[in-house]
């Protein structure tokens, strides 16, 4: 008997999903939870962030390069924080519903 999506999510450890979204980042916790749609959305956002950074970094002088790198890092950290929070709340929401 195949478990449902909600059963898989409820059986996952919330702290593992949160940690996997923060440490390696980019939605690895969603892979643990088998939440493919959330993983692909997070991957698309991270890719778009990288592409936007590369496009904006063209023809930039060395003085603004450090600032651009800091903005890029802050954006990826914000994405990791949002995805980690969402992964933890999803487990909590499913467990309360059952």
């Amino acid at each position: 008997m195949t478990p449902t999506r909600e059963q898989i999510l409820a059986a996952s450890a919330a702290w593992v999903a949160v940690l996997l979204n923060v440490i390696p980042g980019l939605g690895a916790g969603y892979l643990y939870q088998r939440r493919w749609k959330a993983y692909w959305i997070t991957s698309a956002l991270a890719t778009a962030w990288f592409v936007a950074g590369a496009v904006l970094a063209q023809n930039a002088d060395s003085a603004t390069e450090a600032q651009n790198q800091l903005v890029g890092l802050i954006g990826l950290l914000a994405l990791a924080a949002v995805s980690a929070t969402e992964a933890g709340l999803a487990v909590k929401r499913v467990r309360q519903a059952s």
Side-chain angles (χ1 to χ4, degrees):
M1 185 173 213
T2 305
T4 65
R5 177 187 176 281
E6 287 78 20
Q7 289 172 333
I8 292 171
L9 189 56
S12 66
W15 70 271
V16 173
V18 168
L19 187 65
L20 286 173
N21 274 343
V22 171
I23 299 296
L26 305 179
Y30 293 138
L31 294 175
Y32 167 71
Q33 293 176 326
R34 297 182 188 171
R35 295 177 57 205
W36 309 114
K37 187 177 182 180
Y39 171 74
W40 287 113
I41 290 171
T42 303
S43 295
L45 288 173
T47 302
W49 191 252
F50 278 119
V51 169
V55 169
L56 294 174
Q58 291 178 350
N59 301 325
D61 58 354
S62 60
T64 59
E65 187 174 337
Q67 182 182 3
N68 289 345
Q69 289 177 354
L70 182 62
V71 169
L73 178 63
I74 290 171
L76 291 177
L77 289 175
L79 180 62
V82 169
S83 66
T85 303
E86 195 279 330
L89 291 175
V91 172
K92 182 179 178 182
R93 183 176 53 248
V94 169
R95 287 181 182 170
Q96 287 177 347
S98 60

